[in-house]
Amino acid sequence: GNSVTQMEGPVTLSEEAFLTINCTYTATGYPSLFWYVQYPGEGLQLLLKATKADDKGSNKGFEATYRKETTSFHLEKGSVQVSDSAVYFCALSDLGAGSYQLTFGKGTKLSVIP
Amino acid sequence: NAGVTQTPKFQVLKTGQSMTLQCAQDMNHEYMSWYRQDPGMGLRLIHYSVGAGITDQGEVPNGYNVSRSTTEDFPLRLLSAAPSQTSVYFCASSPGLSADTQYFGPGTRLTVL
């Protein structure tokens, strides 16, 4: 079956530090990959996505590249801000296997301190 | 355009009680789904629907029922609440017949005593 593994949190960084949150996946078909973000007290919002190998998704200074050879989709940001404090979820959608489901990782909580 | 709305925001039940969590979307999306979020577990899919009159089970369907009589509404019913169903519940919708780019509601925090 499909699964997503992301690095355990919480992660605490100082403002302007570099961020990496690792994400690896297993899938039976040809998945699309996503990063969702959940701010305190809110639902999830799509942050970025990539639909095929070597695609790079980007949004709000965050980037992630779909690496099929390493089955990875690591999230990066060059300079984090306090407003980036949230929980980040890596997810996949494997339509090639006929699945209509999103499979989520367990989430990584990021805290950015001034 | 309200997006995905959920009611109630908070609910406390006693073991054995039943209730319905409401979800509605005004984006004319075909695909709708229910997730539960538990600490350290991420989000797990309960049930989903690819259109009016069509529903299917997700990863953790036991203890929950759904129906989809209209495109807009996708209620989740707890038949006999148990403490293990204490969780935060999210409804989501998607524009196509896929799980791509889901739009999430604000969530319902349910406590079962």
Side-chain angles (χ1 to χ4, degrees):
Chain A
N2 298 334
S3 68
V4 174
T5 302
Q6 58 183 105
M7 62 186 290
E8 297 283 334
V11 175
T12 302
L13 295 174
S14 297
E15 206 166 21
E16 299 185 1
F18 184 85
L19 168 70
T20 299
I21 301 178
N22 292 335
C23 172
T24 57
Y25 68 91
T26 58
T28 55
Y30 303 95
S32 296
L33 301 173
F34 308 84
W35 278 101
Y36 281 83
V37 58
Q38 184 180 30
Y39 298 104
E42 299 183 9
L44 279 70
Q45 305 172 23
L46 179 67
L47 180 60
L48 54 84
K49 68 177 182 180
T51 58
K52 61 182 186 296
D54 299 325
D55 270 2
K56 177 184 284 188
S58 61
N59 186 25
K60 300 181 180 179
F62 291 89
E63 294 183 340
T65 300
Y66 188 142
R67 301 289 188 196
K68 187 177 180 181
E69 63 276 11
T70 55
T71 61
S72 65
F73 193 55
H74 305 321
L75 182 68
E76 296 182 337
K77 187 176 186 183
S79 176
V80 294
Q81 305 300 313
V82 172
S83 57
D84 294 326
S85 297
V87 181
Y88 292 82
F89 292 92
C90 185
L92 72 82
S93 169
D94 190 2
L95 299 182
S99 169
Y100 291 116
Q101 303 181 18
L102 264 180
T103 301
F104 285 89
K106 295 183 178 180
T108 302
K109 183 176 182 180
L110 170 67
S111 297
V112 180
I113 55 177
Chain B
N1 189 334
V4 179
T5 58
Q6 292 183 236
T7 56
K9 289 190 175 182
F10 301 93
Q11 183 69 50
V12 179
L13 293 178
K14 294 181 180 179
T15 296
Q17 288 185 315
S18 63
M19 79 159 295
T20 299
L21 307 185
Q22 300 292 344
C23 174
Q25 52 92 8
D26 61 359
M27 297 174 283
N28 202 33
H29 287 172
E30 293 289 340
Y31 183 92
M32 296 186 74
S33 54
W34 276 102
Y35 294 87
R36 58 178 289 173
Q37 183 180 30
D38 301 294
M41 299 293 290
L43 276 77
R44 293 180 292 172
L45 183 67
I46 305 171
H47 286 284
Y48 66 96
S49 168
V50 298
I54 306 170
T55 63
D56 206 347
Q57 296 181 351
E59 180 184 356
V60 288
N62 292 340
Y64 307 95
N65 275 359
V66 292
S67 60
R68 185 95 179 270
S69 57
T70 67
T71 298
E72 294 77 19
D73 300 300
F74 191 44
L76 178 72
R77 297 182 187 85
L78 281 70
L79 306 174
S80 177
S84 61
Q85 294 179 304
T86 294
S87 187
V88 181
Y89 291 85
F90 288 101
C91 179
S93 72
S94 178
L97 288 179
S98 74
D100 198 5
T101 315
Q102 295 198 22
Y103 296 83
F104 283 80
T108 294
R109 183 174 293 274
L110 175 67
T111 301
V112 183
L113 303 176

